[in-house]
Amino acid sequence: MNGSPLARIGSGWLLVLPFLALVVALFLGPIVDILRLSVTDPEPGLGNYAALMTSDSLARILWTTLRVCAITTLFSVAFGYSIAYAMVHGVRRDRNWMLSLVLVSFWISVLVRTFSWLMLLGRKGLVNEALAGIGIISQPIEFMRNELGVLIGMVHYMIPYAVLPLLASMQTIDTRLVSASRSLGATGSQTFWRVYLPLTRPGLVAASLLVFILSLGFYVTPAILGGGKVLMVAEYISVQILVTLRWGTAAMLAALMLFGVLGLLFVMSRFMKLSTIFGGARA
Amino acid sequence: MSDGAASGGLELKALTKRFGSFTAADNVNLDIQRGEFLTLLGPSGSGKTTLLMMIAGFLDITGGDILLDGSSIAAVPPERRNFGMVFQGYALFPHMSVHQNIAYPLDVRRRPKAEIERRVGEMLDLVQLQEFAHRLPRQLSGGQQQRVALARALCFAPPVLLLDEPLGALDKKLRIEVQAQLKDIHQRVGTTFVYVTHDQEEALSMSDRIVIMQNGRIEQIGTPQELYQRPRTAFAAGFLGKSNFLTANGALHALRPEKIDIAPRGKGKGANRLAGTVRNATYFGSFLKYDVSVVGMDTIEVDVDAWRAGEPIAVGTEVDLSWPDGAAVRLEDN
Ligand SMILES: Nc1ncnc2c1ncn2[C@@H]1O[C@H](COP(=O)(O)OP(=O)(O)OP(=O)(O)O)[C@@H](O)[C@H]1O
Ligand SMILES: [Mg+2]
């Protein structure tokens, strides 16, 4: 408690100051600009936001986005949970190659992954051809150009993002708790539902948040696999900017997403420390 | 509340556990009486936890058999053995309150709500934690957590309670307090306790019988007195209490430090006598410890009652060490 407050801030801050300034200028600047745009274009006022109440197409797009993101989150986290579980509790030897598979899929471009689904599930794709070939179906199944296709592509892309936080939280679980539960007479499934699952809750919350937030901004996958029939916010924003040139509406939607995400984080922070969610570590 | 006493006799028959080529438990034969407080005592790595985990059912056995009241339980999974277990570090469920933790074994057995409430109440009384029922484990002290773990493990009236170093995390003073409580609880519930520790004082003060283990094998079994007074091997003599080792009549003998009298040269009175010189005297409050060097032998330790002894003998003094016949115990070769 000695010295002036400025002295206490210290030389450490001076070192990072230039970078801090750069981050503020390049990151916060454009965001402020977007916020400004959303209330000034085409004319000053809250007209862009008011359109949310009146425009059916806007409401439909938001609803589609929320629905697709929610379903994506549900399935990605469910699959991610079982993958992480197998990695943590499976044979040690298998853990490394499982982890590398997860990481490799991280590094493959979303474009490549989306087009591979097109090859697999299109009308003349591998799956339809194979099913028709062995005579199970006579008409190709419509996997693509609808919400199902978008969901398949998005879940597939998001699973690794769900796996990592879950992995971190499962690794911190004291396995003696599981033994204790069984010694107290609980069956395997009782132990899972009453001890294991509650203990991985921070990981579940983190994985769900991460997947949901990332899904909100998805552009490529819905555009390609939805075939223009599943319009989500990101694609709509790009249309507003590039085609119809209604920048005000685009900025309003972007601001809405930004505040949505911040709101989500705020609500979660009421329930648990965010650092424990994203840090993975937990006492 | 002696509800556990109806059964609980355990029998280990040639029990063996190998991890690869390493034998962690080697042909262990042991009869545990129902209601008994039996302690497994041994240095780190001697196979105590391994043995306990096989009894609990968490480790497959490599050879031999485990019988509960005469019938084999080797193939019964841990959740169906109905043994209570207190883990090292307690393993309380961090997301459940004290009450929920204790109720857990009855909950998973789908017992009626009224019965659960009554039983949990009894358990909270037993371990004197009534006012902490709604706290989370992390809001309790180590000693309190230990008692919750005990209550949880006893709640479903198991015939056998297995405890793996339950007091290991407590400080010395608290440990002695909890030892007394544990012993009291054992007497009240009448359950068979199988207790693992590497603390010899704990073993001596609590047990009906002690099993001394080394390298996965049983070194000696007996009551605390038997083991202390008549150790069979040098290992048992050195591990439980302190011992001086002397060779007499071609055999190794163990001689407890407090059985030796020390007196100035020429004043020794016992049947067996050695001449030595005091090298060190240390005051421990209740007793005085002398290190006495004797020509041609290891330093001999002598403990005397500090209050009765009066003034300590000065370092450098020539003394006679003496002890009555029978004080030195002849050991088996091994
Ligand atoms: N899963 C395992 N794989 C290989 N070796 C093991 C395994 N578990 C235990 N061991 C070995 O078996 C021996 C006995 O271990 P155990 O845990 O039973 O000792 P302990 O008497 O409980 O020791 P401590 O007092 O340190 O707890 C040790 O040498 C240990 O390394
Ligand atoms: Mg151990």
Side-chain angles (χ1 to χ4, degrees):
Chain A
M1 295 304 121
N2 46 13
S4 71
L6 261 181
R8 253 191 294 130
I9 288 174
S11 50
W13 280 104
L14 287 179
L15 278 177
V16 296
L17 202 62
F19 305 102
L20 208 61
L22 208 65
V23 167
V24 169
L26 296 184
F27 188 71
L28 288 184
I31 288 180
V32 171
D33 211 34
I34 284 176
L35 291 182
R36 188 184 55 76
L37 212 55
S38 75
V39 288
T40 54
D41 184 284
E43 60 207 28
L46 293 175
N48 286 323
Y49 291 90
L52 279 175
M53 297 294 141
T54 53
S55 158
D56 279 350
S57 62
L58 274 179
R60 203 173 53 243
I61 284 160
L62 284 179
W63 170 237
T64 305
T65 307
L66 289 181
R67 188 179 60 236
V68 168
C69 290
I71 298 174
T72 300
T73 305
L74 190 74
F75 281 95
S76 312
V77 171
F79 288 131
Y81 199 92
S82 43
I83 292 173
Y85 188 91
M87 285 169 76
V88 175
H89 301 287
V91 184
R92 242 201 153 66
R93 193 158 25 88
D94 295 344
R95 192 175 306 170
N96 284 337
W97 64 257
M98 287 173 83
L99 188 64
S100 28
L101 284 186
V102 168
L103 290 179
V104 162
S105 60
F106 250 131
W107 297 326
I108 297 179
S109 143
V110 61
L111 216 56
V112 173
R113 291 170 65 179
T114 303
F115 275 117
S116 340
W117 279 116
L118 220 48
M119 314 282 245
L120 279 173
L121 297 178
R123 285 183 72 87
K124 290 210 164 357
L126 205 59
V127 173
N128 270 325
E129 295 280 281
L131 288 178
I134 52 178
I136 293 178
I137 53 170
S138 51
Q139 290 291 315
I141 300 173
E142 292 291 341
F143 289 113
M144 298 287 112
R145 306 184 150 272
N146 55 25
E147 204 167 304
L148 179 65
V150 175
L151 285 172
I152 291 175
M154 283 179 65
V155 168
H156 174 239
Y157 187 79
M158 283 300 171
I159 284 176
Y161 290 91
V163 168
L164 293 185
L166 287 167
L167 201 60
S169 110
M170 284 179 190
Q171 276 165 340
T172 63
I173 290 187
D174 182 353
T175 51
R176 273 180 309 188
L177 294 176
V178 173
S179 300
S181 168
R182 298 195 62 197
S183 82
L184 293 167
T187 61
S189 77
Q190 281 173 324
T191 300
F192 178 76
W193 290 108
R194 306 190 52 165
V195 175
Y196 197 88
L197 193 66
L199 289 175
T200 51
R201 211 183 60 164
L204 277 171
V205 172
S208 307
L209 268 183
L210 194 63
V211 171
F212 191 81
I213 289 172
L214 288 176
S215 307
L216 278 178
F218 247 58
Y219 173 65
V220 172
T221 307
I224 295 176
L225 297 182
K229 291 192 188 134
V230 186
L231 204 54
M232 285 172 61
V233 169
E235 193 182 353
Y236 190 72
I237 289 177
S238 114
V239 169
Q240 301 303 308
I241 289 177
L242 299 177
V243 184
T244 57
L245 300 180
R246 280 165 33 200
W247 285 39
T249 307
M252 179 276 290
L253 283 173
L256 199 66
M257 299 241 286
L258 180 66
F259 287 122
V261 168
L262 288 178
L264 214 55
L265 287 176
F266 176 75
V267 171
M268 291 324 300
S269 73
R270 306 301 304 252
F271 293 105
M272 49 185 59
K273 285 217 298 281
L274 285 180
S275 63
T276 66
I277 295 179
F278 291 112
R282 216 179 71 97
Chain B
M1 254 203 302
S2 56
D3 32 26
S7 67
L10 266 179
E11 206 177 326
L12 313 186
K13 280 193 168 158
L15 201 55
T16 299
K17 177 69 194 180
R18 279 190 211 98
F19 295 109
S21 61
F22 178 80
T23 308
D26 192 0
N27 195 25
V28 172
N29 289 290
L30 183 58
D31 254 328
I32 306 172
Q33 308 301 318
R34 65 178 56 159
E36 184 174 27
F37 195 127
L38 183 106
T39 297
L40 302 176
L41 176 71
S44 193
S46 57
K48 308 179 295 290
T49 300
T50 302
L51 210 54
L52 207 67
M53 287 301 170
M54 283 193 286
I55 298 175
F58 290 118
L59 269 183
D60 292 334
I61 63 184
T62 310
D65 204 355
I66 306 175
L67 309 179
L68 176 68
D69 300 320
S71 43
S72 171
I73 55 166
V76 178
E79 67 267 25
R80 305 240 322 275
R81 289 194 188 186
N82 266 330
F83 292 173
M85 178 136 191
V86 177
F87 288 79
Q88 197 164 5
Y90 316 136
L92 296 177
F93 304 128
H95 58 299
M96 296 185 199
S97 69
V98 168
H99 187 287
Q100 289 168 321
N101 261 286
I102 298 177
Y104 187 82
L106 300 180
D107 259 352
V108 297
R109 286 174 174 78
R110 306 219 161 77
R111 305 307 271 272
K113 202 143 184 67
E115 183 195 329
I116 295 180
E117 284 308 312
R118 182 180 55 75
R119 188 66 186 161
V120 172
E122 281 174 16
M123 286 298 127
L124 286 169
D125 281 344
L126 183 73
V127 296
Q128 297 166 12
L129 285 172
Q130 299 89 338
E131 63 272 43
F132 299 99
H134 297 290
R135 292 222 194 149
L136 289 174
R138 66 165 171 273
Q139 298 165 323
L140 300 178
S141 73
Q144 290 164 342
Q145 290 181 18
Q146 198 275 331
R147 272 140 64 197
V148 176
L150 191 65
R152 184 179 69 175
L154 285 171
C155 188
F156 55 106
V160 176
L161 183 68
L162 309 171
L163 306 101
D164 193 358
E165 309 214 17
L167 310 185
L170 306 182
D171 65 48
K172 184 92 186 160
K173 191 162 175 293
L174 190 58
R175 197 147 66 193
I176 291 170
E177 209 176 294
V178 180
Q179 279 172 24
Q181 289 168 351
L182 209 56
K183 188 133 177 67
D184 180 54
I185 287 171
H186 170 249
Q187 265 152 15
R188 281 203 273 159
V189 297
T191 301
T192 308
F193 276 37
V194 181
Y195 189 99
V196 164
T197 184
H198 57 238
D199 181 331
Q200 42 138 332
E201 282 174 33
E202 207 166 287
L204 282 172
S205 67
M206 302 177 77
S207 324
D208 292 323
R209 281 195 306 161
I210 299 173
V211 177
I212 298 183
M213 298 197 53
Q214 190 198 9
N215 296 334
R217 271 194 296 272
I218 293 184
E219 190 81 13
Q220 192 174 354
I221 308 176
T223 65
Q225 281 187 8
E226 280 165 7
L227 290 186
Y228 191 81
Q229 301 301 345
R230 309 223 64 82
R232 258 205 343 249
T233 61
F235 178 79
F239 195 74
L240 196 69
K242 293 178 292 186
S243 269
N244 296 297
F245 295 101
L246 318 165
T247 313
N249 308 325
L252 193 64
H253 287 69
L255 179 57
R256 299 290 184 194
E258 72 277 9
K259 294 184 180 173
I260 305 175
D261 280 324
I262 185 167
R265 179 68 47 83
K267 301 244 177 74
K269 285 194 278 292
N272 309 280
R273 220 168 294 174
L274 278 176
T277 311
V278 173
R279 289 290 169 222
N280 209 352
T282 318
Y283 182 67
F284 283 97
S286 65
F287 67 97
L288 265 164
K289 169 168 125 39
Y290 294 107
D291 294 318
V292 179
S293 64
V294 175
V295 178
M297 297 177 97
D298 292 335
T299 301
I300 291 191
E301 185 182 330
V302 180
D303 292 346
V304 299
D305 189 326
W307 183 69
R308 250 176 270 280
E311 274 302 297
I313 300 171
V315 172
T317 310
E318 309 232 301
V319 290
D320 278 341
L321 303 180
S322 59
W323 59 94
D325 282 329
V329 180
R330 187 190 166 116
L331 301 173
E332 288 171 9
D333 308 323
N334 49 352

